[in-house]
Amino acid sequence: MDSLLKQFSQSSQLGANAAYIEDLYEQYLVSPDSVSPTWKAYFDGFKGREAGDVPHSAAIESIVAAGKRAAHAQPAAAAGTGDERERGIGKLITAYRSRGHLGANLDPLGLLEKPDAPDLALGFHRLSQSDLGAEFSTGGVAGKQRMKLGDLLALLKATYTGPIGAEFMHITDAEQRRWVYERLETAGGNFGHSDQTKRRILERLTAADGLERYLGTKYVGQKRFSLEGADALIPLLDTTIRRAGEQGVQDMVVGMAHRGRLNVLVNTLGKPAQHLFDEFEGKFEHIHSDLAHTGDVKYHLGFSADVATPGGPVHLALAFNPSHLEIVNPVVAGSVRSRQNRRGDQGRSQVLPVLMHGDAAFAGQGVVMELLQMSQARGFAVGGTLHIVINNQVGFTTSERQDARSTLYCTDVAKMVGAPVLHVNGDDPEAVVFCAQLALDFRQRFGKDVVIDLVCYRRHGHNEADEPAATQPLMYQVIRKHKAPRELYAEQLKSEGTLDADDIKAMVDAYRDKLDAGEVTTEVVEVKPDEFNVDWSGFLEGKLGDPVDTTFDRARLDELAIAINDVPDEIKLHARVAKIYQDRRKMAAGEQAGDWGFAENLAYATLVSEGYKLRLVGQDSGRGTFFHRHAILHDQVADAPYVPLRELVENPTDVTIIDSLLSEEAVMGFEYGYSTADPMTLDIWEAQFGDFANGAQVVIDQFLSSGEAKWGRLCGLALLLPHGYEGQGPEHSSARLERFLQLCALDNMMVCVPTTPAQAYHMIRRQMHMATRKPLVVMTPKSLLRHKLAVSSLDELALGGFQELIPDTNADIKKVKRVVVCSGKVYYDLLEETRKQEQEDVALVRVEQLYPFPREALAAELKRFGAARDVVWCQEEPQNQGAWYQIRHHLSWCLQSKQSLHYAGRLRSPSPAAGHFSDHVAEQKQLIADALVNPLRGEHHTE
């Protein structure tokens, strides 16, 4: 054996042989006698064998180590071959577990071509029909150590090639693999449902079918994105909810796109049927206020209710969703994480996320992959998500796999995180319910994602006005002749004697009567609000214009400044970080003016000390992309993190600072979802550079800016977007300020460009102390983080407040001929130039909040300098970008009678900034001169 081990341990051969070793080990686990005595003896010697199999990685590592210990090659012992058929049995079992899904009966329409799977045939493993009566070792299949081959084969076929095609052998964790195959093989295709369960399945199918028929008759041709063909979704959800309630789940947050949404609202969440009918007739429940609550179409709307289960009520919340299909996924996950934290649900078993997907979207939308990659990350884990793919095999109009994806299944992306995938025939509701039970139990047991691929069809087009036969003629010839799932299952129950025709008709009539009465069609209950419910009432009436007190007791501020900058001696910091904290201690003592990082961390400290929580997420948020924050310190000896802000709280999760994975869309969506579920947490998403927010534009457009208008959903998420022209090229200069301003209307959010540490401090505190919750978009600085003029005193932090506009208090009113209005870093460039030139005829006014725009404050400032004839808006961005076109009407409104408005900045450009530093410097010099001293040119307005 030593020589064999030595051979396999050679680095040049290990890569080629690792797969062989893994297969051999897997075969051994299935049937120990099927491998050669040499290998069997070796595998038997693994420590812990009695407690279960050893992970593959450990097997290979052990072989490598043993090979290295072998000093000299020894002649290999003659390997006894044993019964060749025993070896074949082990391989046959492994083949069915690994590839049985290829032979499964998944397509209700019978149109799906099954891939070749020759290894599922006896002959492939040197077995034959003549061996069917012989008994072999099975390694414990279905709890039996030995079986006749005929019985074993029948069991394997029933388990793996029936209506369920299970993929789980890609899972690296041996315990999880074993759990799945033991559960499947114990059932062996016999799902063991009681008559009571079967009746409930039919009742739920009757509800699913009945609602669609009712709507199709009453509202002919109206869009409803019918569930017909995927009716089994309703009993699947019913089983999941009831079983979850039995297992202690208190909350379920559900996300889904259009397909079947109305059915789920009525038949799962218990939305009164009459409310849905009213919506079909154009009667929506609007939120009455002076804001833009414009509502949304009915198949985007969410809902929440408490549903009765055998284990007690479960609160269900269906998330609102735009047409961007999968974008709701991270929003749901973020809401779940927030609810889990609020409940103290450390095991993440009390709040369950359920996401329903379309087949084309699951395969095609990148946010699916991003969220899967986040599923086990410590800042975003939710204990596993139950994914249900409503696989109608068409998508929109594309049923050709070669056009829809490059993988065999639409669910293959889930394999990358080791999620088991259960493909199931949607016309077999008993198999569907079994998959629901198995999937939920797996999630609760292992805390990982699991996928149910509900293979079904779509009876109508993408919507009810569409004609699907135009692009899928053969498929729809079959569909039109195909009986509905309810009819098929009713016939099955009638033939087996579970129900008779009168029972079945009574179910149909009873459901129709409920619809005629406009009643609730599921078991909704009323429960008293519990301690974990969030009371949003205190944030519903507040306005952005309401005054906000952000002052803080100076003595307490001094204490906090000392506390968060006092690093224990045993933590050895990097020299550069140690210098930063040394300076911060001087700032805390009042010996040195406070810089940006000092003030920002102190703002967080004050909020945490007042009982708020902090969640700061970004790709470099711990230290800050520009090395300024250092809210997480890293011991250079132990390589252990230390978070000074956590010293202020008892529960470490109250201060969560996470360096996120390199995702924008999913992470920002997650934080949006989190913040909509918790108004008492300051939730911040920070871009590495501001332009990275481009990758999350869907979240910004569909949720952040419009969620309140469409759905009445308040959200206090803050975006920190580094922005400023320092010659870093087109991408890392601009956070695309113009795009955010374009989305602003009717006080839907705030857009700020603070220029001092005190401004940043009070802006952060204002976000939590204001009387409502609105998104905050901040153009944060880069070079200003260490600018010698961008500093603030402790008194400014303790006693001041956020100034939407900072006037020029140093300018001599009698001398000023020109008022330059600006935002951001360019102010300091203008200031330094005026000082350099000793220019006294210019006043510099900073607009620190671009939306809502401080009209009255600016008008008052321009009136103060009423003798000045020229008002200049100066910006670093190109003229067609930045704030100019979005605020020009505000600037014009503020002008006094004899004042004219001019523009100073870069010329129009399709690119945000010049690519060469020398060009940048020339442009910057020019725009500063245009603003301060040059004859005014460019756009001129006298309105």
Side-chain angles (χ1 to χ4, degrees):
M1 190 66 188
D2 280 351
S3 63
L4 191 58
L5 294 174
K6 186 176 180 181
Q7 175 186 353
F8 276 98
S9 71
Q10 299 302 312
S11 59
S12 62
Q13 297 176 0
L14 182 57
N17 290 323
Y20 171 77
I21 298 170
E22 187 166 358
D23 288 344
L24 197 64
Y25 184 56
E26 187 69 52
Q27 181 181 328
Y28 162 82
L29 294 177
V30 172
S31 178
D33 294 331
S34 67
V35 300
S36 72
T38 307
W39 280 111
K40 181 179 183 301
Y42 183 75
F43 290 141
D44 282 345
F46 279 155
K47 290 182 179 179
R49 170 65 186 156
E50 65 281 356
D53 55 357
V54 178
H56 293 183
S57 59
I60 295 171
E61 287 173 7
S62 179
I63 291 167
V64 172
K68 289 179 177 178
R69 288 195 300 268
H72 303 284
Q74 300 293 333
T81 58
D83 188 339
E84 184 68 25
R85 294 180 303 171
E86 288 279 5
R87 205 183 318 277
I89 293 296
K91 292 180 179 179
L92 177 69
I93 295 170
T94 300
Y96 268 90
R97 288 174 177 170
S98 300
R99 290 163 52 78
H101 57 89
L102 299 177
N105 179 28
L106 301 178
D107 182 11
L109 304 178
L111 299 175
L112 190 65
E113 282 190 32
K114 296 179 182 179
D116 290 335
D119 50 341
L120 300 183
L122 291 177
F124 188 87
H125 304 288
R126 299 184 181 182
L127 297 166
S128 67
Q129 295 290 318
S130 62
D131 298 317
L132 294 177
E135 192 176 87
F136 299 94
S137 171
T138 67
V141 170
K144 300 176 182 178
Q145 293 300 320
R146 297 185 68 81
M147 294 177 69
K148 288 182 179 179
L149 176 56
D151 295 337
L152 173 63
L153 185 61
L155 177 68
L156 293 174
K157 285 184 176 180
T159 301
Y160 295 112
T161 63
I164 299 174
E167 293 188 275
F168 57 89
M169 293 296 277
H170 58 277
I171 302 174
T172 55
D173 186 277
E175 182 186 0
Q176 293 173 22
R177 281 198 316 277
R178 183 171 57 247
W179 187 95
V180 174
Y181 68 63
E182 285 181 353
R183 185 74 172 267
L184 289 167
E185 290 164 6
T186 298
N190 180 10
F191 306 121
H193 300 309
S194 67
D195 287 352
Q196 182 181 358
T197 299
K198 292 178 180 180
R199 282 193 290 271
R200 186 170 182 93
I201 292 172
L202 181 61
E203 188 276 327
R204 291 289 80 197
L205 283 176
T206 301
D209 180 73
L211 179 66
E212 299 297 354
R213 291 178 185 271
Y214 193 94
L215 294 175
T217 302
K218 192 171 183 178
Y219 304 105
V220 179
Q222 286 204 43
K223 287 183 183 180
R224 56 190 162 94
F225 297 96
S226 160
L227 187 63
E228 290 166 275
D231 309 54
L233 176 68
I234 299 304
L236 190 163
L237 289 174
D238 181 64
T239 299
T240 301
I241 294 163
R242 290 169 66 81
R243 196 175 186 88
E246 290 177 321
Q247 296 180 5
V249 171
Q250 304 294 314
D251 256 332
M252 282 179 58
V253 187
V254 181
M256 68 182 300
H258 310 338
R259 180 73 49 214
R261 190 182 190 93
L262 302 185
N263 212 306
V264 169
L265 280 166
V266 171
N267 288 323
T268 301
L269 282 93
K271 180 173 183 172
Q274 187 59 53
H275 290 186
L276 179 62
F277 302 153
D278 288 345
E279 290 168 3
F280 269 98
E281 293 163 14
K283 305 169 190 173
F284 286 85
E285 292 184 0
H286 284 290
I287 299 171
H288 298 286
S289 75
D290 56 352
L291 299 182
H293 291 300
T294 55
D296 201 354
V297 292
K298 53 187 169 290
Y299 41 83
H300 287 175
L301 298 180
F303 194 76
S304 64
D306 293 284
V307 175
T309 78
V314 172
H315 182 73
L316 300 182
L318 176 64
F320 296 89
N321 195 28
S323 291
H324 284 258
L325 297 177
E326 301 294 321
I327 194 60
V328 77
N329 299 350
V331 175
V332 166
S335 177
V336 167
R337 174 83 175 211
S338 178
R339 294 163 191 254
Q340 290 172 341
N341 287 354
R342 192 162 64 242
R343 287 183 174 274
D345 182 15
Q346 296 181 353
R348 309 202 181 280
S349 60
Q350 298 176 31
V351 187
L352 174 69
V354 177
L355 293 175
M356 287 171 268
H357 317 264
D359 51 319
F362 197 78
Q365 297 285 301
V367 70
V368 174
M369 182 281 294
E370 291 185 23
L371 185 62
L372 286 168
Q373 195 64 270
M374 293 162 64
S375 65
Q376 296 295 310
R378 62 176 176 169
F380 308 98
V382 291
T385 297
L386 175 59
H387 300 271
I388 302 167
V389 179
I390 304 174
N391 185 352
N392 59 39
Q393 307 184 70
V394 178
F396 186 14
T397 63
T398 303
S399 58
E400 287 283 346
R401 183 190 302 160
Q402 62 187 357
D403 296 325
R405 57 185 181 269
S406 298
T407 55
L408 177 60
Y409 297 115
C410 63
T411 55
D412 282 345
V413 67
K415 293 180 185 177
M416 73 179 189
V417 293
V421 181
L422 303 172
H423 309 281
V424 61
N425 189 317
D427 268 4
D428 191 329
E430 292 188 13
V432 171
V433 165
F434 175 80
C435 287
Q437 295 168 341
L438 190 153
L440 178 66
D441 292 352
F442 181 90
R443 186 268 179 191
Q444 294 292 82
R445 170 69 178 80
F446 296 108
K448 287 186 61 178
D449 287 42
V450 59
V451 179
I452 298 175
D453 178 20
L454 183 64
V455 184
C456 49
Y457 58 92
R458 189 183 69 197
R459 186 162 292 278
H460 305 291
H462 178 65
N463 61 65
E464 284 61 35
D466 193 21
E467 176 45 76
T471 49
Q472 275 79 30
L474 297 182
M475 175 182 279
Y476 277 85
Q477 288 175 27
V478 174
I479 289 174
R480 288 184 182 120
K481 299 174 185 176
H482 195 74
K483 291 183 178 180
R486 185 203 68 82
E487 295 177 77
L488 293 172
Y489 192 54
E491 290 175 1
Q492 176 186 325
L493 295 187
K494 187 166 63 173
S495 66
E496 69 183 35
T498 304
L499 293 172
D500 59 27
D502 290 341
D503 294 329
I504 294 168
K505 184 178 184 303
M507 271 190 193
V508 174
D509 293 344
Y511 186 78
R512 176 68 184 234
D513 290 344
K514 284 185 177 181
L515 292 183
D516 285 337
E519 296 177 354
V520 172
T521 65
T522 191
E523 298 98 334
V524 175
V525 295
E526 290 189 14
V527 299
K528 294 180 180 179
D530 63 29
E531 61 182 305
F532 302 111
N533 283 1
V534 175
D535 182 7
W536 285 84
S537 60
F539 303 101
L540 298 178
E541 302 300 326
K543 302 290 188 296
L544 284 187
D546 295 342
V548 184
D549 182 4
T550 59
T551 60
F552 196 83
D553 179 73
R554 173 60 195 271
R556 179 62 178 144
L557 186 69
D558 290 345
E559 291 175 2
L560 291 174
I562 293 170
I564 66 171
N565 293 300
D566 183 22
V567 182
D569 293 337
E570 60 268 21
I571 296 177
K572 304 304 179 185
L573 299 180
H574 186 279
R576 287 182 61 189
V577 180
K579 177 62 166 65
I580 290 171
Y581 267 77
Q582 181 182 350
D583 289 343
R584 286 183 184 176
R585 285 189 286 272
K586 293 178 181 177
M587 297 171 192
E591 299 170 6
Q592 189 172 314
D595 63 11
W596 207 280
F598 173 79
E600 182 189 345
N601 277 286
L602 199 48
Y604 301 145
T606 60
L607 290 173
V608 168
S609 74
E610 291 171 331
Y612 297 102
K613 299 175 184 178
L614 170 67
R615 183 174 169 86
L616 173 57
V617 175
Q619 289 154 3
D620 285 312
S621 59
R623 72 159 211 183
T625 297
F626 306 100
F627 216 76
H628 84 286
R629 181 174 294 121
H630 296 287
I632 300 177
L633 303 176
H634 295 270
D635 190 322
Q636 297 296 296
V637 177
D639 193 20
Y642 174 73
V643 183
L645 287 167
R646 279 192 170 169
E647 299 302 307
L648 305 178
V649 297
E650 292 184 12
N651 183 358
T653 60
D654 288 354
V655 173
T656 298
I657 302 172
I658 290 291
D659 290 339
S660 70
L661 66 165
L662 205 65
S663 155
E664 290 82 38
E665 183 178 32
V667 174
M668 188 191 292
F670 190 100
E671 299 312 316
Y672 172 84
Y674 194 103
S675 61
T676 60
D678 186 359
M680 301 305 288
T681 293
L682 173 61
D683 197 334
I684 298 172
W685 180 83
E686 181 177 51
Q688 195 173 55
F689 284 85
D691 60 287
F692 285 19
N694 290 353
Q697 198 65 48
V698 173
V699 179
I700 296 164
D701 291 347
Q702 302 297 326
F703 291 104
L704 202 71
S705 64
S706 59
E708 183 181 1
K710 293 188 291 190
W711 313 311
R713 299 292 286 173
L714 294 182
C715 162
L717 180 64
L719 307 185
L720 302 185
L721 311 178
H723 175 90
Y725 282 60
E726 282 107 355
Q728 295 194 53
E731 309 311 329
H732 292 338
S733 294
S734 176
R736 292 294 192 176
L737 171 62
E738 63 278 359
R739 294 182 184 171
F740 292 97
L741 292 176
Q742 186 183 39
L743 295 170
C744 292
L746 297 175
D747 288 357
N748 62 329
M749 58 184 182
M750 297 165 287
V751 179
C752 296
V753 192
T755 56
T756 71
Q759 282 287 86
Y761 169 93
H762 288 290
M763 176 192 68
I764 290 168
R765 286 184 49 75
R766 182 183 69 164
Q767 187 67 4
M768 300 311 292
H769 280 279
M770 63 195 309
T772 186
R773 288 291 177 264
K774 300 278 184 175
L776 169 65
V777 179
V778 188
M779 301 290 115
T780 54
K782 295 177 287 185
S783 62
L784 289 195
L785 297 173
R786 294 174 187 80
H787 197 287
K788 61 182 182 296
L789 298 178
V791 292
S792 301
S793 68
L794 282 166
D795 277 342
E796 289 175 309
L797 303 186
L799 305 175
F802 181 75
Q803 297 173 272
E804 296 176 358
L805 178 143
I806 300 180
D808 190 337
T809 56
N810 296 317
D812 187 335
I813 294 176
K814 296 178 181 179
K815 296 180 179 179
V816 170
K817 298 178 181 178
R818 180 183 297 195
V819 179
V820 178
V821 187
C822 62
S823 283
K825 178 187 74 70
V826 72
Y827 164 77
Y828 289 98
D829 295 336
L830 293 165
L831 179 63
E832 289 179 317
E833 185 64 19
T834 57
R835 289 180 177 179
K836 178 181 176 182
Q837 301 297 334
E838 298 182 350
Q839 190 171 354
E840 297 181 343
D841 60 350
V842 173
L844 303 179
V845 178
R846 282 173 276 177
V847 177
E848 302 277 291
Q849 180 171 286
L850 288 166
Y851 190 84
F853 192 87
R855 274 192 173 196
E856 288 74 15
L858 179 58
E861 186 70 355
L862 294 183
K863 183 177 181 180
R864 196 163 66 89
F865 294 106
R869 294 293 180 263
D870 295 319
V871 176
V872 181
W873 172 257
C874 179
Q875 68 178 37
E876 297 183 300
E877 303 86 355
Q879 190 173 22
N880 57 312
Q881 299 172 36
W884 170 243
Y885 282 139
Q886 301 301 325
I887 66 167
R888 192 169 52 181
H889 61 295
H890 293 304
L891 297 171
S892 297
W893 185 90
C894 296
L895 294 176
Q896 301 304 298
S897 59
K898 296 181 180 181
Q899 291 175 337
S900 299
L901 177 63
H902 308 269
Y903 169 82
R906 286 178 167 82
L907 300 177
R908 291 180 176 85
S909 170
S911 175
H916 302 292
F917 186 74
S918 58
D919 293 339
H920 160 78
V921 172
E923 290 173 354
Q924 195 76 8
K925 183 177 181 180
Q926 182 67 53
L927 72 88
I928 296 300
D930 289 346
L932 295 178
V933 295
N934 286 345
L936 293 169
R937 54 184 180 173
E939 300 208 24
H940 175 89
H941 293 266
T942 57
E943 301 99 302

